[in-house]
């Protein structure tokens, strides 16, 4: 079965840039999306199709996907961005798979 | 507004079944697929299966095949997920999520339903 690997945690200082990676075999050949989940809340999509932002998502969220790695980048990280982030891969050959999640701490 | 509202928390005995509903509003129910995703305490999100609300076609993850039944009632704009032969490892929050029509992602999520097997 297809697997996606994320670092368990990432820390960043307010105003700095946070990068969260998601690794999977030939992930760059598939579409990746990213969800933000705050404690006690449902996930919210912040990036879809590798790099596109849904309406209402701040411009500081961006994404890329190439080779075996997709990356979510948060520029000018704010305290409100502290959350768990999950990547997800989409491809007709696999069921929709989630990464293990990354806890972003803003300190 | 567009939303998915799920049924309330459930407590079940091992071996029992649970049925969770997901009521859609604010959009044409039959134009989208609904997926079911669960999250055990401290664990990753896990896809269980989905239903095309228009034609009723379903697909379930291999892990849950034989135990999960996904249905819908178009007159009520509601999708259902029934999980049978419950065991303690099925204790989790169960979410329904709408698959976006224009892109590959879940754009609307229900509030989640906590199912406790004990």
């Amino acid at each position: 079965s297809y697997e996606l690997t994320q670092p368990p945690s990432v820390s960043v200082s307010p105003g700095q840039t946070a990068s969260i990676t998601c690794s999977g075999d030939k992930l760059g050949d598939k579409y990746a999306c990213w969800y933000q989940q705050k404690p006690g809340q449902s996930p919210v999509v912040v990036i879809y199709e590798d790099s596109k932002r849904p309406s209402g998502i701040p411009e500081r969220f961006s994404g890329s996907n190439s080779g075996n790695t997709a990356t979510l980048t948060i520029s000018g990280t704010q305290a409100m961005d502290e959350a768990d982030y999950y990547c997800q891969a989409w491809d007709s050959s696999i069921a929709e798979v989630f990464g293990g999640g990354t806890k972003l701490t803003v300190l | 507004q567009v939303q998915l509202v799920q049924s309330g928390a459930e407590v079940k005995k091992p071996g029992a079944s649970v049925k969770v509903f997901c009521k859609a509003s604010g959009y044409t129910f039959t134009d989208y697929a609904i997926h079911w995703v669960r999250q055990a305490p401290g664990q990753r999100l896990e896809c269980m299966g989905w239903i095309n609300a228009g034609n009723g076609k379903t697909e379930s993850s291999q892990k849950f095949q034989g135990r999960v039944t996904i249905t819908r009632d178009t007159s009520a704009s509601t999708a259902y997920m029934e999980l049978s032969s419950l065991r303690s490892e099925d204790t989790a929050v169960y979410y329904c999520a709408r698959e976006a029509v224009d892109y590959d992602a879940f754009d609307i999520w229900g509030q989640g339903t906590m199912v406790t097997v004990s």
Side-chain angles (χ1 to χ4, degrees):
Chain A
S1 63
Y2 193 78
E3 293 190 2
L4 294 174
T5 301
Q6 299 180 233
S9 62
V10 168
S11 297
V12 64
S13 300
Q16 298 304 302
T17 297
S19 295
I20 300 173
T21 58
C22 174
S23 299
D25 184 48
K26 298 179 182 178
L27 180 56
D29 292 343
K30 313 176 194 306
Y31 273 140
C33 64
W34 292 89
Y35 299 91
Q36 176 193 71
Q37 185 179 34
K38 295 183 178 179
Q41 297 184 18
S42 303
V44 173
V45 59
V46 294
I47 292 289
Y48 67 92
E49 291 182 354
D50 298 338
S51 60
K52 299 176 181 177
R53 276 179 295 106
S55 61
I57 300 302
E59 289 184 10
R60 64 180 180 273
F61 288 87
S62 63
S64 63
N65 185 16
S66 179
N68 295 321
T69 304
T71 303
L72 172 69
T73 302
I74 308 172
S75 305
T77 307
Q78 300 181 10
M80 68 172 65
D81 300 328
E82 189 163 284
D84 293 330
Y85 290 85
Y86 292 89
C87 61
Q88 184 186 31
W90 288 75
D91 184 88
S92 59
S93 65
I94 61 172
E96 297 75 30
V97 176
F98 288 98
T102 298
K103 181 177 181 61
L104 177 67
T105 301
V106 182
L107 39 67
Chain B
Q1 76 276 27
V2 176
Q3 62 179 349
L4 299 173
V5 177
Q6 299 183 222
S7 46
E10 302 263 13
V11 179
K12 295 292 183 180
K13 300 279 190 192
S17 297
V18 68
K19 191 170 186 176
V20 179
F21 76 72
C22 170
K23 183 169 177 59
S25 61
Y27 72 94
T28 302
F29 177 68
T30 51
D31 284 349
Y32 293 80
I34 294 289
H35 293 246
W36 289 90
V37 179
R38 80 175 187 181
Q39 187 172 36
Q43 301 299 310
R44 71 177 66 194
L45 299 164
E46 182 176 34
C47 288
M48 301 179 67
W50 57 270
I51 185 165
N52 180 318
N55 62 20
K57 175 185 174 182
T58 63
E59 211 166 291
S60 58
S61 167
Q62 192 169 13
K63 176 177 178 177
F64 299 99
Q65 280 179 7
R67 284 211 300 144
V68 69
T69 304
I70 299 172
T71 56
R72 97 295 192 212
D73 178 349
T74 56
S75 66
S77 297
T78 301
Y80 303 88
M81 186 284 298
E82 183 171 21
L83 187 63
S84 62
S85 303
L86 291 169
R87 34 211 190 227
S88 58
E89 310 90 87
D90 294 317
T91 294
V93 176
Y94 290 76
Y95 294 100
C96 61
R98 188 182 80 167
E99 182 181 332
V101 70
D102 294 330
Y103 56 87
D104 291 333
F106 300 149
D107 63 347
I108 303 293
W109 292 68
Q111 83 277 19
T113 297
M114 180 71 213
V115 175
T116 302
V117 183
S118 176

